[in-house]
Amino acid sequence: MKIYEDIIHILQLKEKSVATMESCTGGSIASEITNHNGASEILKFSAVTYSNEYKIKMGVNPDIIDKYSVYSIETAEEMSKNISKFANSDFGIGITGKLNNPDPKNPSGEDDKVFICIYDKGADTFYKYDIKANKTKTRKENKEIIIEFIGEKLFDIISE
C-alpha cells in the first residue's frame, strides 16, 4: 500500500520509529511496512501476541485483561504502550479483536470488533479506534481493510 511508503518516508525525515504488537492481524502491519524500502530504518520491533499469555509476557497488565477482556480498547492501549517501551520506539501500535470468529477461551466481546491503539511516546498520547469486521468478507480481506485503516490513521498522526 502506497500509504506505508509515505509513512516510512515521513518517519525517516523525522528520525522516528514504530513498533507493533498485533493479535488478530497476525503481523500484517509489520509485514506491510517491510514490503517497502526503508522499513529497517523505522521498524524497531514487532510481536504477534495471539495468546493472553504472550500479551502478558510483553507487558500487558493481566488485571486489564481480567477487568475489560483481552478484546478491549484498554488492552489495545496496554499493547501499544508496552511495545513502544519494549522497543524504545516513538510510536507503538496495539491491535486486538475478533474477525468474525468466536473465541471459546475468551468468550466476551463482539465477534466482529477490532480494537486499535496508536501510542505516541513523545506526546504520551493514545489514539484509540475500533473497527467492525465485515461479515461478508474473508478473514484476509478484513485484515487488509484494517491494515489500510491503520495506515491512514498513523499517517494522519505522524503528519501533524
Side-chain angles (χ1 to χ4, degrees):
M1 291 177 196
K2 169 86 169 77
I3 196 154
Y4 281 90
E5 287 180 42
D6 298 337
I7 288 167
I8 291 168
H9 181 71
I10 291 167
L11 290 175
Q12 286 174 319
L13 289 175
K14 293 185 173 190
E15 298 180 347
K16 301 286 183 184
S17 60
V18 65
T20 67
M21 189 185 307
E22 302 180 58
S23 185
C24 61
T25 51
S28 295
I29 301 299
S31 178
E32 184 58 37
I33 291 169
T34 61
N35 283 340
H36 304 283
N37 291 332
S40 61
E41 294 175 47
I42 62 98
L43 182 63
K44 288 272 193 131
F45 186 79
S46 178
V48 177
T49 55
Y50 231 62
S51 69
N52 295 4
E53 175 188 2
Y54 280 90
K55 286 176 183 69
I56 293 165
K57 283 185 180 192
M58 291 300 300
V60 174
N61 184 335
D63 294 337
I64 296 293
I65 293 173
D66 290 343
K67 183 174 182 178
Y68 299 103
S69 106
V70 69
Y71 304 120
S72 65
I73 196 63
E74 292 82 4
T75 297
E77 282 180 46
E78 284 276 301
M79 292 169 74
S80 67
K81 187 170 186 174
N82 281 293
I83 200 64
S84 173
K85 183 178 173 183
F86 179 85
N88 193 29
S89 65
D90 300 291
F91 298 93
I93 301 172
I95 307 156
T96 184
K98 300 181 200 176
L99 296 174
N100 298 323
N101 227 18
D103 178 354
K105 291 184 181 178
N106 298 288
S108 64
E110 300 170 56
D111 291 341
D112 63 348
K113 196 167 190 181
V114 176
F115 300 92
I116 301 156
C117 187
I118 301 173
Y119 176 67
D120 178 344
K121 180 173 76 175
D124 192 26
T125 301
F126 294 96
Y127 297 88
K128 301 178 248 186
Y129 313 95
D130 61 67
I131 185 170
K132 288 275 197 174
N134 185 322
K135 292 184 188 294
T136 65
K137 304 276 185 191
T138 66
R139 186 173 183 83
K140 183 177 181 187
E141 290 169 329
N142 273 299
K143 284 167 62 173
E144 289 169 356
I145 292 166
I146 294 164
I147 294 163
E148 187 171 351
F149 178 85
I150 291 170
E152 291 167 2
K153 298 305 180 187
L154 181 58
F155 179 85
D156 290 346
I157 292 165
I158 66 174
S159 297
E160 292 178 349

